């Protein structure tokens, strides 16, 4: 992902990234799944935005009820404009929220801990979001390959 900039909004540091390619809903689910796997039991928020800039639907309980398997979560059956996933990252050892915006290449990371950026610089999350993007593309490739093999 390409680092686009950083600013402060209220008590959050907001980092803008651009994914390598424009993505759709499948990528959003794959990337969110990768993040959920990192959060382990630290999931605090999962929200979907039917329409941007409107109040999201909080579905953390539905996600937890299906064991964190997003493709099994009925609340995510219908495509939406954006999703937000937040919790305590086991990799970064801090609270973080990622937002994915459908049919764009926009990814937004929010973190309430300014000290992380003060101590490690504005690019402290770059490798983290890069790994999520790469793993999401790999998950898509694996799913399509398995489907193709099952057709044969």
């Amino acid at each position: 992902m390409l680092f686009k900039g950083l600013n402060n909004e209220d008590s959050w540091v907001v980092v803008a990234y651009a994914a390598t390619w424009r993505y759709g809903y499948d990528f959003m689910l794959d990337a969110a799944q990768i993040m959920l796997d990192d959060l382990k039991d630290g999931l605090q928020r999962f929200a979907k935005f039917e329409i941007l800039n409107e109040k999201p639907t909080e579905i953390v309980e539905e996600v937890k009820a299906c064991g964190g398997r997003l493709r099994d979560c009925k609340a995510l059956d219908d495509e939406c404009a954006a999703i937000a996933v937040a919790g305590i990252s086991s990799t970064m050892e801090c609270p973080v929220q990622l937002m994915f915006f459908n049919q764009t290449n926009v990814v937004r990371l929010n973190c309430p801990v300014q000290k992380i950026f003060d101590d490690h610089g504005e690019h402290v999350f770059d490798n983290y979001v890069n790994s999520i993007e790469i793993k999401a593309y790999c998950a898509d490739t694996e799913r399509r390959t398995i489907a193709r093999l099952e057709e044969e």
Side-chain angles (χ1 to χ4, degrees):
M1 286 196 202
L2 179 64
F3 175 86
K4 300 297 280 185
L6 171 141
N7 63 52
N8 291 296
E9 292 179 14
D10 298 320
S11 60
W12 290 81
V13 178
V14 179
V15 187
Y17 289 98
T20 305
W21 296 285
R22 184 178 172 101
Y23 59 81
Y25 194 62
D26 276 336
F27 173 88
M28 291 168 55
L29 291 178
D30 289 334
Q33 186 68 62
I34 301 303
M35 187 173 175
L36 275 181
D37 296 344
D38 172 50
L39 297 178
K40 300 183 184 352
D41 294 327
L43 176 64
Q44 296 173 338
R45 179 179 196 220
F46 200 108
K48 67 179 192 173
F49 297 76
E50 300 297 331
I51 299 172
L52 286 180
N53 300 323
E54 290 195 8
K55 186 176 180 182
T57 303
E58 301 291 336
I59 59 168
V60 70
E61 293 308 318
E62 290 89 335
V63 168
K64 287 180 178 180
C66 68
R69 292 177 306 277
L70 297 182
R71 293 190 183 273
D72 294 340
C73 184
K74 294 290 182 197
L76 292 167
D77 281 352
D78 295 327
E79 198 164 322
C80 59
I83 57 176
V85 185
I88 307 299
S89 166
S90 63
T91 302
M92 299 303 292
E93 299 179 336
C94 69
V96 64
Q97 174 176 276
L98 280 177
M99 290 187 68
F100 303 96
F101 299 87
N102 201 357
Q103 301 303 317
T104 72
N105 69 341
V106 176
V107 176
R108 190 170 79 184
L109 181 141
N110 299 339
C111 179
V113 186
Q114 176 67 48
K115 185 166 176 25
I116 291 172
F117 297 90
D118 294 342
D119 291 351
H120 302 287
E122 61 185 12
H123 296 280
V124 66
F125 283 96
D126 289 7
N127 286 338
Y128 180 69
V129 295
N130 287 338
S131 69
I132 289 172
E133 180 182 30
I134 291 166
K135 289 177 181 180
Y137 289 129
C138 289
D140 180 61
T141 300
E142 179 181 8
R143 189 174 45 261
R144 286 186 291 124
T145 301
I146 290 170
R148 187 170 294 141
L149 290 172
E150 289 174 349
E151 289 174 0
E152 296 177 1

